Amino acid sequence: MRLENKKVIALVDEDFEDLELWYPVLRLREEGATVHLVGKEANQKYIGKYGVPAESKYAFSDINAEDYDGILVPGGWAPDKLRRFPEVLEMVRSMDQAKKPIGQICHAGWVLISAGILRGKKVTSTPGIKDDMTNAGGLWSDEPVVTDGHLISSRRPPDLPPYVKAYADYLANQ
């Protein structure tokens, strides 16, 4: 399996977009990656927008980003909560500095905006936060998936197949 020995953080908080969390997690696990759900508290159950639960294995404070090969930020309303945690922003900045893959879809761009890592980067997101992305210096385009180096972004659930493929491809070649 091409992602064996790869470790990925999948951030989670209340009101995550169910498919935008679970589709990437399951696909990466299918290819051999270890994916840890990480939330405000360890062993906490979070409920997605459509009622699908996700239980965190670790708390933000338990994580050392250097021990991981990548990070995934789901969409939904969770990113508006996630970006308020200094530990989350530091994880994202650490991944950015190390050029490790950062996956973001839909409203997840809010976390990258708050981490201050979008200036000059080609990105996409849900059109609803296009202005936020461009005001943060991102070069926004309306495409299913946009890859700019280690930053892999996508718009919405119908774009999940090419998004997760692009993320997995980058992770496998790292």
Side-chain angles (χ1 to χ4, degrees):
M1 294 203 273
R2 72 179 181 149
L3 298 181
E4 193 171 4
N5 300 318
K6 299 290 186 179
K7 286 177 57 180
V8 177
I9 296 164
L11 298 173
V12 65
D13 205 327
E14 294 297 331
D15 297 319
F16 60 88
E17 207 297 337
D18 306 58
L19 285 173
E20 294 171 358
L21 173 72
W22 282 113
Y23 185 100
V25 167
L26 295 173
R27 284 290 298 117
L28 295 178
R29 285 178 177 169
E30 209 171 54
E31 293 205 43
T34 299
V35 183
H36 291 149
L37 299 183
V38 180
K40 179 181 175 184
E41 298 176 31
N43 306 309
Q44 174 73 32
K45 185 188 284 184
Y46 298 92
I47 305 298
K49 285 173 46 177
Y50 303 107
V52 177
E55 186 170 326
S56 60
K57 182 173 177 104
Y58 298 104
F60 302 141
S61 60
D62 297 335
I63 297 300
N64 179 353
E66 294 174 6
D67 296 336
Y68 288 83
D69 301 296
I71 191 166
L72 293 167
V73 187
W77 301 121
D80 191 36
K81 297 172 182 83
L82 291 167
R83 67 182 176 164
R84 301 173 195 195
F85 293 97
E87 303 96 333
V88 168
L89 301 181
E90 187 50 43
M91 275 187 257
V92 170
R93 287 184 196 116
S94 175
M95 292 287 176
D96 184 54
Q97 290 169 357
K99 305 292 186 223
K100 293 179 180 179
I102 299 170
Q104 69 93 19
I105 185 168
C106 199
H107 286 83
W110 280 335
V111 175
L112 281 62
I113 290 167
S114 293
I117 66 165
L118 288 185
R119 184 152 310 283
K121 299 286 187 180
K122 296 176 191 165
V123 292
T124 194
S125 66
T126 178
I129 66 165
K130 172 187 175 184
D131 292 346
D132 301 330
M133 300 288 275
T134 57
N135 288 337
L139 307 172
W140 193 89
S141 65
D142 189 10
E143 298 177 53
V145 64
V146 172
T147 300
D148 187 343
H150 62 285
L151 181 59
I152 298 103
S153 58
S154 192
R155 300 176 302 190
R156 56 183 72 96
D159 301 328
L160 282 162
Y163 164 63
V164 179
K165 182 180 182 327
Y167 187 89
D169 289 348
Y170 188 93
L171 185 61
N173 292 317
Q174 163 182 331

